[in-house]
Amino acid sequence: MAQKPSIPKGTRDFSPEEVNRRNYIISTIKKQFQHFGFQPIETPSFENSSTLMGKYGEEGDRLIFKILNSGDFLSKVKDDLYAEKDSLKITSKISEKALRYDLTVPFARYVVQHQNEVEFPFKRYQIQPVWRADRPQKGRFREFYQCDADVVGSDSLWQEVEFVQLYDSVFTALKLSGVTIKLNNRKILSGFAEVIGESDKLIDFTIALDKLDKIGKDGVIKEMKEKGIAEAAIEKIDPIFELNGDFSAKINGLKSILFTSEIGKKGIEELEFIQRAIAEMPLKTATLDLDVTLARGLNYYTGAIFEISAPEGVKMGSIGGGGRYDDLTGIFGLKNMSGIGISFGLDRIYLVLEELDLFPEAVEENTKIIFINFGEKEALYAMKAVRALRGAGINAEVYPDSAKMKKQMTHANRRNIPFVVLAGTQEIEAEQYTIKHMASGEQETISLDKIIEKLR
Amino acid sequence: MAQKPSIPKGTRDFSPEEVNRRNYIISTIKKQFQHFGFQPIETPSFENSSTLMGKYGEEGDRLIFKILNSGDFLSKVKDDLYAEKDSLKITSKISEKALRYDLTVPFARYVVQHQNEVEFPFKRYQIQPVWRADRPQKGRFREFYQCDADVVGSDSLWQEVEFVQLYDSVFTALKLSGVTIKLNNRKILSGFAEVIGESDKLIDFTIALDKLDKIGKDGVIKEMKEKGIAEAAIEKIDPIFELNGDFSAKINGLKSILFTSEIGKKGIEELEFIQRAIAEMPLKTATLDLDVTLARGLNYYTGAIFEISAPEGVKMGSIGGGGRYDDLTGIFGLKNMSGIGISFGLDRIYLVLEELDLFPEAVEENTKIIFINFGEKEALYAMKAVRALRGAGINAEVYPDSAKMKKQMTHANRRNIPFVVLAGTQEIEAEQYTIKHMASGEQETISLDKIIEKLR
């Protein structure tokens, strides 16, 4: 009995048009990665579970796809454990591998494993799918690509400057103007917690603050109270909500808030370095902004924090983000390796470009010309021409069957092939080809050389 | 405590050099696919288990990687089944998804699922990883790429001709000469079985015959006997072993063996069509050969069968293969869709190109020029130049830290960056750059425009 075919929820098939458009974005990003000196690596789709588990928090552990051991996997489970029928406890006994959850942990693992072959500072990029057993919803999938660039082995602030430039270069190349590169620094957040006397509640504090644009000032204050942050402390942070104006104005505001905090002042210094460099080398299309509420939930950021907002008017969350982490490879035993990295959200960038109609027409690597098949002799004549066209780098085809003319023309039409060639006995005798431009309907009878000239 | 990082057996990390070389092969193949009118699709890494299971035989089912259900997966297992502790029986209760095993079954599923959007004949290519829980060994991995091109919806023999040309075009573009495209036809094999009166043992017969180059004539005969093929029948096939000479000579031999078999004669006709067409449009670098023992184990081939041998002298199994299958989408409910497809073995082609030293030097998308970092002022001067270089499409970097000169030069050397720029106070004042060619040691002090001119 025939099965009704479908794919797992949260996954997608990509049609030729979608693949071509995705590849357009990927190759644009890749080219800029290379211009900036990043080199590609690839890591396996699945890692040993021990490499991934415990790296993304409890929630992350749940969302990691586990691969069932091969063969008689239950034979390794002891009877008393088996009798408990406890999914959580049994998992590590019947599954030793898991699908990649992001590209950062595999990158850290790669650097540590290959530390003797890698030349530091190591600038790598990686564009591969990742998998998360998340509840699927609009714009959130269980399989999606990440496009990451990271540098490990240097704590120079020029890297931060470089990543701001890199973001700007990619979005400029994609002709996507109006993007905002939001910048913050973990040291600013630590400074805030310090001046209000709640350094031990830094995480709760930043998580609440990060929600400002979603839940508003009152919501943030309510959440802070719930987390046990003192009333008096909350009153002290009021100036944070009053920061506004341009980058420099916000920096001045920060200076008056953080003047008693060493770490806060260090954060300001770092932000100013980046601001100064970008002022000397202005961005082409993006805008650099300071957003002191930015935390990105991820606790491993220790310095700069980046987040990219789509142009105003496009309803879309962040289309990229990243930051500096001082001790990522530490979990695999290689200490004191400062890293900084950014990520591009392929799926969301795709939706933005689609909404703004920014995909170039030439993205489609479509067939340029198809020859009508009138029978064996004519098909051979066409095949010979097609062979020469392909040799000249032109995508060309012969319709495979000598089907009815109308069927063949409809096929060319449906596939948006711009030129159709009709070559029968007369053309063969004259060594010519009648070429028809589908859009205009115009046709002419010319030599193969002329066709190549026309299409190149 | 730090973990010692490693990756699962049968999987690989790819270094920048390896990624670049793999991408060189992939993009060469892709370009030819496009020249021949194939369009890309992509399918999810995991499919519903029901899509994959039962499509590759019992052995295949075992080798499919299954993904454990999320959450409390054991709660769905009934107690009496659970009590049996039978891995095989429990699998389908705790796992509903599985990793792609090849690209052909997902392609068939795609065609059926999207039959209303797809324009037939549909020529698609797909280059994605697949996973098999096979015992890893040299050249055999648990994660590897397949590069497939298939046409579905036409039984025209021109497709066979096209695929022979496509193979030739790809290997020509890779500058890999000496490749043999071995051709056979399932109808020839059916014809053999028919003339010896063992049509019901066709599969056993072809599996044995396929091993001729491994176990020799005596081995083949021994295996046929073991499979219950009659002595008298085996005597009749002796002429098969005597077929030799060029394509035409073998065709003549076949004609005298198969003259009583309708299906055998049909097979000869098909082979001759292909041979005639290729004679009219000679291959550029590959050789087309007839190999009547070729079966490729896969029972779904119904017409042409292809297999590619590496150049003589290179120890390597087949580097590609494929064939025609008349009823692939039937398993998903879409009948009468003839398909034909071929595959390129990326990993093996990589090894062959490496052994023959055929990777072009320019494969490496490496950084072309790096600026030494002498401190903040000099770094800014360098960054501005680098920005212009990147804008001109040149991969350029500034060393991120103002480390010791020797360290920075060593870094440039280790990364094989061909040019290093030294720009200190003097150069800044003169708006010049001292550029050093690392291989020759030559250096000159020139303007930025001159550098761009030099590197473009």
Side-chain angles (χ1 to χ4, degrees):
Chain A
M1 210 174 66
Q3 300 166 285
K4 167 121 179 68
S6 65
I7 51 175
K9 61 177 178 184
T11 68
R12 293 164 289 172
D13 282 330
F14 295 109
S15 69
E17 192 192 13
E18 288 165 331
V19 173
N20 282 324
R21 289 180 159 201
R22 286 166 62 87
N23 284 345
Y24 160 71
I25 300 174
I26 289 173
S27 63
T28 303
I29 293 174
K30 217 160 144 174
K31 201 172 177 187
Q32 296 304 325
F33 283 172
Q34 288 170 353
H35 284 171
F36 278 72
F38 292 88
Q39 296 185 285
I41 68 161
E42 289 181 8
T43 62
S45 296
F46 46 74
E47 296 270 352
N48 292 322
S49 299
S50 56
T51 299
L52 304 184
M53 298 297 281
K55 307 302 189 295
Y56 308 100
E58 224 172 279
E59 169 78 351
D61 280 358
R62 274 202 316 107
L63 299 183
I64 289 172
F65 278 112
K66 287 107 189 159
I67 294 171
L68 199 55
N69 291 346
S70 301
D72 185 10
F73 54 89
L74 289 181
S75 66
K76 280 192 198 157
V77 186
K78 289 196 178 126
D79 284 339
D80 51 345
L81 176 71
Y82 190 74
E84 290 183 47
K85 206 180 171 182
D86 182 323
S87 297
L88 203 61
K89 282 187 188 166
I90 219 169
T91 298
S92 64
K93 310 293 172 196
I94 62 175
S95 162
E96 286 159 8
K97 293 183 284 291
L99 289 175
R100 189 165 57 208
Y101 180 85
D102 73 356
L103 301 178
T104 309
V105 169
F107 171 55
R109 193 267 310 144
Y110 179 98
V111 167
V112 178
Q113 190 174 332
H114 302 278
Q115 54 186 287
N116 297 324
E117 305 137 48
V118 164
E119 169 64 20
F120 295 100
F122 183 44
K123 300 171 79 165
R124 89 84 172 79
Y125 74 86
Q126 193 169 354
I127 302 176
Q128 291 192 281
V130 302
W131 297 269
R132 296 182 184 181
D134 234 327
R135 196 176 299 274
Q137 58 184 56
K138 193 176 178 297
R140 190 200 282 166
F141 304 99
R142 292 188 152 184
E143 173 176 47
F144 58 99
Y145 267 68
Q146 288 194 333
C147 310
D148 282 18
D150 292 79
V151 188
V152 67
S154 161
D155 56 10
S156 161
L157 281 171
W158 286 111
Q159 312 284 12
E160 275 79 345
V161 176
E162 285 270 85
F163 280 114
V164 172
Q165 300 274 5
L166 176 55
Y167 267 132
D168 181 51
S169 295
V170 166
F171 292 118
T172 302
L174 290 171
K175 298 189 172 39
L176 179 61
S177 53
V179 159
T180 303
I181 303 168
K182 295 194 288 186
L183 179 67
N184 194 15
N185 195 303
R186 168 69 170 257
K187 298 185 176 87
I188 298 294
L189 297 167
S190 299
F192 288 158
E194 191 175 292
V195 296
I196 64 169
E198 296 277 9
S199 286
D200 58 325
K201 295 220 170 61
L202 173 62
I203 304 296
D204 289 332
F205 172 84
T206 54
I207 287 173
L209 192 61
D210 198 23
K211 293 179 185 161
L212 182 62
D213 57 346
K214 287 196 191 95
I215 60 177
K217 181 177 166 181
D218 293 345
V220 170
I221 289 173
K222 184 162 166 268
E223 182 168 326
M224 286 185 179
K225 280 182 188 163
E226 284 165 9
K227 293 290 177 184
I229 294 172
E231 290 265 2
I234 291 170
E235 272 166 36
K236 278 191 206 157
I237 63 159
D238 209 59
I240 296 173
F241 299 113
E242 306 306 319
L243 284 173
N244 50 38
D246 64 8
F247 203 108
S248 300
K250 287 179 190 162
I251 288 280
N252 285 334
L254 281 180
K255 283 181 179 167
S256 64
I257 298 172
L258 294 171
F259 69 99
T260 58
S261 163
E262 279 312 309
I263 190 153
K265 285 195 283 186
K266 186 84 184 52
I268 293 173
E269 208 177 280
E270 292 186 13
L271 290 171
E272 284 189 299
F273 181 91
I274 298 165
Q275 186 200 14
R276 244 185 354 253
I278 298 298
E280 289 277 347
M281 295 176 285
L283 301 183
K284 281 168 238 148
T285 55
T287 306
L288 181 67
D289 193 16
L290 176 57
D291 180 352
V292 299
T293 69
L294 192 64
R296 287 184 63 77
L298 291 167
N299 292 317
Y300 55 71
Y301 292 135
T302 51
I305 303 171
F306 300 110
E307 192 167 276
I308 307 302
S309 303
E312 267 186 63
V314 181
K315 266 187 202 154
M316 187 63 66
S318 75
I319 56 174
R324 181 175 286 279
Y325 36 85
D326 277 340
D327 195 31
L328 192 81
T329 59
I331 46 173
F332 297 115
L334 185 64
K335 302 283 181 198
N336 300 320
M337 274 285 173
S338 187
I340 171 166
I342 62 170
S343 192
F344 289 83
L346 175 61
D347 291 303
R348 289 184 172 182
I349 292 171
Y350 186 103
L351 293 171
V352 171
L353 295 188
E354 195 170 47
E355 186 173 333
L356 298 176
D357 202 13
L358 289 175
F359 283 109
E361 288 227 13
V363 156
E364 329 298 333
E365 288 294 349
N366 201 355
T367 294
K368 294 284 170 293
I369 186 164
I370 187 164
F371 287 63
I372 299 296
N373 185 333
F374 291 112
E376 191 171 333
K377 200 185 77 181
E378 292 84 354
L380 181 62
Y381 182 68
M383 286 287 288
K384 286 181 178 176
V386 156
R387 190 162 168 257
L389 285 161
R390 290 169 182 165
I394 297 161
N395 301 347
E397 289 177 62
V398 181
Y399 191 88
D401 305 281
S402 57
K404 281 192 184 132
M405 177 76 171
K406 185 161 179 262
K407 187 176 177 187
Q408 298 190 46
M409 293 301 280
T410 306
H411 180 77
N413 235 330
R414 286 203 184 129
R415 287 189 49 207
N416 293 313
I417 299 175
F419 293 97
V420 171
V421 174
L422 305 101
T425 316
Q426 281 193 339
E427 280 87 355
I428 296 177
E429 271 168 23
E431 290 184 40
Q432 299 270 302
Y433 304 83
T434 299
I435 179 169
K436 179 175 177 163
H437 184 235
M438 294 296 271
S440 66
E442 278 167 29
Q443 64 181 56
E444 53 183 333
T445 302
I446 54 178
S447 71
L448 184 56
D449 285 346
K450 283 271 186 310
I451 295 180
I452 292 176
E453 209 174 280
K454 200 182 177 79
L455 296 191
R456 247 218 293 236
Chain B
M1 209 174 65
Q3 300 165 284
K4 169 122 179 70
S6 66
I7 51 176
K9 63 177 178 183
T11 68
R12 293 164 289 172
D13 282 329
F14 295 110
S15 70
E17 192 193 14
E18 288 165 331
V19 173
N20 282 325
R21 290 180 158 202
R22 285 165 64 86
N23 284 345
Y24 160 72
I25 299 173
I26 289 172
S27 64
T28 303
I29 293 173
K30 217 160 145 175
K31 201 171 177 188
Q32 296 304 323
F33 282 172
Q34 288 170 353
H35 284 169
F36 279 71
F38 291 88
Q39 296 184 285
I41 68 161
E42 290 181 6
T43 62
S45 297
F46 46 74
E47 296 270 351
N48 292 321
S49 300
S50 57
T51 300
L52 304 184
M53 297 297 281
K55 306 304 188 296
Y56 308 100
E58 223 173 281
E59 168 79 351
D61 279 358
R62 273 203 315 107
L63 299 184
I64 290 172
F65 278 112
K66 286 106 190 160
I67 294 171
L68 199 55
N69 291 346
S70 301
D72 185 11
F73 54 89
L74 289 180
S75 66
K76 281 191 197 158
V77 186
K78 290 197 177 122
D79 284 339
D80 51 345
L81 176 70
Y82 189 74
E84 289 183 48
K85 206 180 173 184
D86 182 322
S87 297
L88 202 61
K89 283 187 187 167
I90 218 169
T91 299
S92 65
K93 309 293 174 197
I94 62 174
S95 162
E96 285 159 9
K97 293 182 284 292
L99 290 175
R100 190 164 58 208
Y101 180 85
D102 73 356
L103 301 178
T104 309
V105 169
F107 171 55
R109 194 265 310 144
Y110 179 99
V111 167
V112 178
Q113 190 174 331
H114 302 277
Q115 54 187 287
N116 297 323
E117 306 137 49
V118 164
E119 169 64 19
F120 297 100
F122 183 43
K123 300 170 78 167
R124 89 85 173 78
Y125 73 86
Q126 194 171 353
I127 301 176
Q128 291 192 281
V130 302
W131 297 268
R132 295 182 185 181
D134 234 328
R135 195 176 299 274
Q137 57 184 59
K138 193 176 178 298
R140 191 201 280 166
F141 304 98
R142 291 188 154 185
E143 173 175 47
F144 59 97
Y145 268 68
Q146 289 195 332
C147 309
D148 282 18
D150 293 78
V151 188
V152 67
S154 161
D155 56 10
S156 162
L157 281 171
W158 286 111
Q159 311 285 12
E160 276 79 345
V161 176
E162 285 270 86
F163 280 114
V164 172
Q165 300 275 5
L166 176 55
Y167 267 133
D168 181 51
S169 295
V170 167
F171 293 118
T172 301
L174 289 172
K175 300 191 171 38
L176 180 62
S177 53
V179 159
T180 303
I181 303 169
K182 295 194 287 185
L183 179 68
N184 195 14
N185 195 301
R186 168 70 170 257
K187 298 185 176 85
I188 299 294
L189 296 167
S190 300
F192 288 156
E194 191 174 290
V195 297
I196 65 171
E198 296 277 9
S199 286
D200 57 324
K201 293 219 171 62
L202 173 62
I203 304 297
D204 289 332
F205 172 83
T206 54
I207 288 174
L209 191 61
D210 197 22
K211 293 181 186 160
L212 182 62
D213 57 347
K214 285 196 192 95
I215 59 178
K217 182 177 166 181
D218 293 346
V220 171
I221 290 174
K222 185 164 165 268
E223 181 167 327
M224 286 185 179
K225 278 182 189 163
E226 285 165 7
K227 293 291 179 182
I229 294 172
E231 289 265 2
I234 291 171
E235 271 166 38
K236 277 193 205 156
I237 63 158
D238 208 60
I240 297 175
F241 300 113
E242 306 307 319
L243 284 173
N244 50 37
D246 65 8
F247 204 107
S248 300
K250 286 179 191 163
I251 288 279
N252 285 335
L254 281 180
K255 283 180 178 167
S256 64
I257 298 172
L258 294 170
F259 69 100
T260 59
S261 163
E262 279 312 308
I263 190 151
K265 285 194 282 185
K266 186 82 183 49
I268 292 173
E269 211 176 277
E270 294 187 12
L271 290 171
E272 284 189 298
F273 180 91
I274 299 165
Q275 186 200 13
R276 247 188 348 258
I278 297 299
E280 289 277 347
M281 297 176 284
L283 302 183
K284 283 169 238 149
T285 54
T287 306
L288 181 67
D289 194 17
L290 176 57
D291 180 352
V292 299
T293 69
L294 193 63
R296 288 185 60 78
L298 291 167
N299 292 317
Y300 55 70
Y301 292 136
T302 52
I305 303 171
F306 300 110
E307 192 168 276
I308 308 301
S309 303
E312 267 186 65
V314 182
K315 266 186 202 155
M316 186 64 66
S318 75
I319 56 175
R324 181 175 287 280
Y325 36 86
D326 276 341
D327 194 30
L328 191 80
T329 59
I331 47 172
F332 297 115
L334 186 63
K335 302 284 181 197
N336 301 319
M337 274 285 173
S338 187
I340 172 166
I342 62 169
S343 192
F344 288 83
L346 175 61
D347 291 303
R348 289 185 172 182
I349 292 172
Y350 186 104
L351 292 171
V352 170
L353 295 189
E354 194 170 48
E355 185 173 333
L356 298 176
D357 202 13
L358 288 176
F359 282 110
E361 288 229 13
V363 156
E364 331 297 334
E365 288 292 350
N366 201 354
T367 294
K368 295 283 169 295
I369 186 164
I370 189 165
F371 287 63
I372 299 297
N373 186 332
F374 291 111
E376 191 171 334
K377 200 184 77 179
E378 292 85 353
L380 181 62
Y381 182 70
M383 287 285 290
K384 286 180 178 178
V386 155
R387 190 162 168 257
L389 285 161
R390 290 168 181 165
I394 296 161
N395 302 347
E397 288 177 61
V398 181
Y399 191 88
D401 305 281
S402 56
K404 281 191 184 133
M405 177 77 171
K406 182 157 181 265
K407 187 176 177 187
Q408 298 190 47
M409 292 302 279
T410 306
H411 180 77
N413 234 331
R414 286 204 183 129
R415 286 188 50 206
N416 291 314
I417 299 175
F419 292 97
V420 171
V421 173
L422 304 102
T425 316
Q426 282 194 337
E427 280 87 354
I428 296 177
E429 272 169 23
E431 291 185 37
Q432 300 270 301
Y433 303 83
T434 299
I435 180 171
K436 179 172 176 161
H437 184 237
M438 293 295 272
S440 66
E442 278 168 28
Q443 63 180 58
E444 52 183 334
T445 303
I446 54 179
S447 71
L448 183 56
D449 285 347
K450 283 272 188 307
I451 295 180
I452 292 176
E453 208 175 280
K454 201 182 177 78
L455 296 191
R456 249 219 291 238

